[in-house]
Amino acid sequence: MELTKIRRTVLVVLGAVLTMGGCTSGTADKASGTADRASGAAGAPAGPAATVMMDDITAVFENGVTVPQYGYITDLHDGCGYTAGWVGFCSQSGDMLGLVKSYNAAAPHNVLAKYTAVLQRLADSGSEDTGALGEAFVRDWKKAALDPAFRRVQIQVGHNTYLTPAVKLGAQEGVKSELGLENLFDTALMMGQGSDDCDGMVKIAHETDKALGGNPASGVNEATWLARFNAVRQKHMKHPCTPDRKNDWPQAVDRSQALQELADHGEWDLKAPLTVRADFKKTIGRPQD
């Protein structure tokens, strides 16, 4: 079974339930050195501007702000060790290791390179021990986040791990709009991108196809398909089969609700200014990574 990233801890910020951080399988490690922005992938429906908007929507959902938080790092005491960066790379599960390896390839003498061996041991053992990295690790992570190369690597690895699978599934399902792709991307990021994830993106898409007797590729209206996708997703969020998600995912249904509200307001191309509603109430005026 392919392990995938699932969100683990929720915080309440300004009235919105934000899903913060999460444990990843190390998929990013496998992809290190080859990650590309999904906007450049063959067949991807989203152009560069829409892709950056998707990144900023992720920032709203993850941290309650409108730009990616590369320097974010904390121990949420949720079994993941340190959770850090734009999409919550974790020291316990191997995806932080993969990110640092990619950074090493881009900038061999970077400030995080010296932690590679320790991150390898933590990933190999599945350890949530943050003490092994030492007290300076948090400071060095925040220092690295000032480096444009590290920021680019964070975006690239996040896209390779979550947006690229969303693009692939979107092509199979016949999803044409940027907003449709954003729905797949966010579901992959939060609930898993693999075919074996019982609450994941692939599972939800297949249940949607079954309920409607088809998908946009076979002639189902995309707006109709997306509304049903969100209804199925919310059902999974309220009653997850994924272990340990029964307490936090029901509180994060507003994430899917906010995306459906964008559809209800006709924001299919994700052009700025874009207001993320539900409980978030954040307007992205100038998309930026």
Side-chain angles (χ1 to χ4, degrees), residues 216-237:
S218 65
V220 174
N221 177 270
E222 184 171 329
T224 300
W225 188 89
L226 185 63
R228 181 59 63 92
F229 179 92
N230 276 318
V232 174
R233 181 183 178 187
Q234 289 171 30
K235 180 180 177 181
H236 277 266
M237 294 173 76

Side-chain angles (χ1 to χ4, degrees), residues 11-18 60 63-65 254 277-282:
L11 297 177
V12 177
V13 179
L14 299 177
V17 179
L18 307 180
V60 171
N63 296 104
V65 294
D254 57 349
R277 298 175 177 85
D279 290 331
F280 299 97
K281 296 180 175 61
K282 295 288 184 180

